[in-house]
């Protein structure tokens, strides 16, 4: 059996460059490699509702935004199944059974959940659904028998719980579920892209994002305002590239071809870094380069987005078709789950015969 790849995002906003380097670009590469039996990418709207229960409109609006971002970044529905979590009721069913196999204290120890509870001020009033989302996520993964989950480091505790639950299920009821492995981003810059303000993470709530769907003017405005090196005051001052967001972005996105086309004075990023560190290179020039690099990368994505935007009903058709396909896969696993748990009463000839014999005089 080949790999089954599954991953997803909470549809709470448009996707940004952090999503692109951290996961989207990799997913497209995986998709094109063809090195898998099946690949699923989904919008985790059920999970998004666990901390947005009072704002379903936000989720509702962002389903299409995320779908457009997926498609314009290059995810191809003929190669990978795109679906919406809430449309697969089997996932809720599996969540219910998995909840019996993990303790409250085990979920409480999950560091990602801990941080999120603090960030959302949920300490005093923790929604049960939010607390249980790691179990629901384990169901998302195991219902498809996923072997491989491309995700960031913050998802490691979720995959760990998923593995424990799969193991526990199989020990208790028989071998049905598969223990998945996480597939982490390849390098440090892909793991966490800082915000345009230089803060640790690009994040919608911090307002420091460049979105895949930003137009060229918006990108330039954001790049112009980017955090660089606060000690680099005069052109001749030696500059620092560590902690300098412009250089972190150049690390993540620029190619030698970009230098040849946009700044031939330097043959590659190392040469520019060297000059910058010695002094004499202006921040504005670096920002102009970065702007060209980002726009070259985003142009084809924007173009495709514009095309997809012309036929929104077709995007919903694609998601419907993907959800139907995903549902069939999850339903197959659930048949096996119910059989293993011996709650498939109406198909259980042995049970019917046993009970018949018991009452036969
Ligand atoms: N928790 C993930 C996030 O916040 C989204 C997600 C939900 C997910 N279910 C998943 C990711 C299953 C990978 C596999 O981005």
């Amino acid at each position: 059996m080949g790999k089954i790849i599954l991953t997803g995002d909470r549809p709470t906003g448009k996707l940004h460059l952090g999503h692109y380097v951290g996961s989207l670009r990799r997913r497209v590469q995986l998709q094109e490699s063809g090195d898998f039996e099946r690949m699923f990418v989904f919008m985790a709207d059920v999970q998004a509702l666990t901390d947005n229960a009072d704002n379903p409109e936000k989720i509702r609006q962002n389903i299409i935004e995320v779908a457009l971002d997926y498609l314009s970044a290059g995810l191809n529905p003929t190669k990978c199944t795109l679906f919406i979590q809430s449309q697969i009721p089997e996932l809720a069913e599996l969540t219910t059974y998995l909840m019996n196999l993990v303790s409250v204290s085990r979920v409480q120890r999950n560091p990602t959940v801990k941080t999120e509870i603090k960030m959302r001020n949920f300490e005093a009033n923790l929604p049960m659904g939010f607390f249980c989302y790691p179990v629901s996520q384990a169901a998302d993964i195991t219902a498809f028998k996923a072997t491989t989950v491309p995700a960031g480091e913050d998802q490691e505790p979720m995959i760990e719980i998923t593995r424990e639950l799969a193991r526990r299920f199989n020990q208790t009821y028989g071998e049905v579920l598969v223990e998945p492995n996480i597939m982490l981003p390849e390098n440090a810059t892909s793991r966490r892209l800082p915000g345009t303000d230089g803060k640790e993470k690009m994040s919608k709530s911090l307002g420091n994002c460049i979105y895949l769907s930003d137009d060229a003017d918006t990108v330039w405005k954001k790049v112009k305002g980017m955090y660089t090196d606060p000690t680099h005051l005069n052109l001749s001052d030696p500059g620092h590239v560590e902690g300098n967001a412009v250089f972190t972005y150049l690390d993540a996105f620029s190619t030698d071809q970009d230098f040849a086309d946009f700044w031939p004075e330097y043959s590659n990023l190392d040469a520019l870094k060297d000059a910058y560190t010695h002094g004499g290179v202006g921040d504005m020039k670096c920002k102009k380069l970065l702007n060209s690099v980002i726009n070259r990368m985003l142009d084809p994505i924007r173009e495709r987005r514009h095309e997809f935007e012309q036929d929104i009903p077709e995007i919903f058709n694609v998601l419907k078709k993907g959800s139907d396909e995903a549902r069939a896969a999850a339903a197959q696993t659930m048949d096996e789950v119910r059989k293993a748990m011996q709650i498939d009463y109406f198909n259980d000839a042995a049970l019917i015969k046993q009970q018949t014999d018991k009452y036969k005089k």
Side-chain angles (χ1 to χ4, degrees), residues 197-208:
D197 54 1
K199 292 223 177 86
E200 198 189 349
K201 196 180 172 185
M202 186 174 277
S203 137
K204 186 172 30 122
S205 53
L206 297 173
N208 60 9

Side-chain angles (χ1 to χ4, degrees), residues 242-260:
E242 298 84 38
N244 182 328
V246 170
F247 280 90
T248 311
Y249 286 24
L250 287 172
D251 267 327
F253 303 117
S254 72
T255 61
D256 291 355
Q257 189 60 47
D258 289 326
F259 279 89

Side-chain angles (χ1 to χ4, degrees), residues 253-269:
F253 303 117
S254 72
T255 61
D256 291 355
Q257 189 60 47
D258 289 326
F259 279 89
D261 296 336
F262 303 130
W263 207 353
E265 200 178 330
Y266 302 103
S267 55
N268 56 36
L269 183 56

Side-chain angles (χ1 to χ4, degrees), residues 170-197:
N170 291 345
Q171 280 163 1
T172 312
Y173 303 117
E175 206 64 36
V176 176
L177 303 182
V178 173
E179 284 183 45
N181 290 302
I182 193 165
M183 183 189 248
L184 291 168
E186 275 153 334
N187 56 55
T189 8
S190 311
R191 251 171 248 150
R192 179 156 293 181
L193 194 74
T196 50
D197 54 1

Side-chain angles (χ1 to χ4, degrees), residues 6-10 42 44 47 85 116 133 136-137 140-141 149-151 154-155 158-159:
L6 176 135
T7 187
D9 301 282
R10 298 180 193 179
F42 76 106
Q47 189 171 114
Q85 186 185 15
E116 288 178 326
Y133 95 70
S136 153
Q137 185 159 338
D140 302 339
I141 297 169
V149 180
D154 60 328
Q155 298 300 304
M158 307 302 160
I159 306 303

Side-chain angles (χ1 to χ4, degrees), residues 223 226 246 249-250 286-295:
V223 170
M226 268 181 80
V246 170
Y249 286 24
L250 287 172
C286 298
K287 287 179 174 176
K288 284 205 175 121
L289 168 70
L290 177 60
N291 186 57
S292 307
V293 168
I294 293 179
N295 281 324

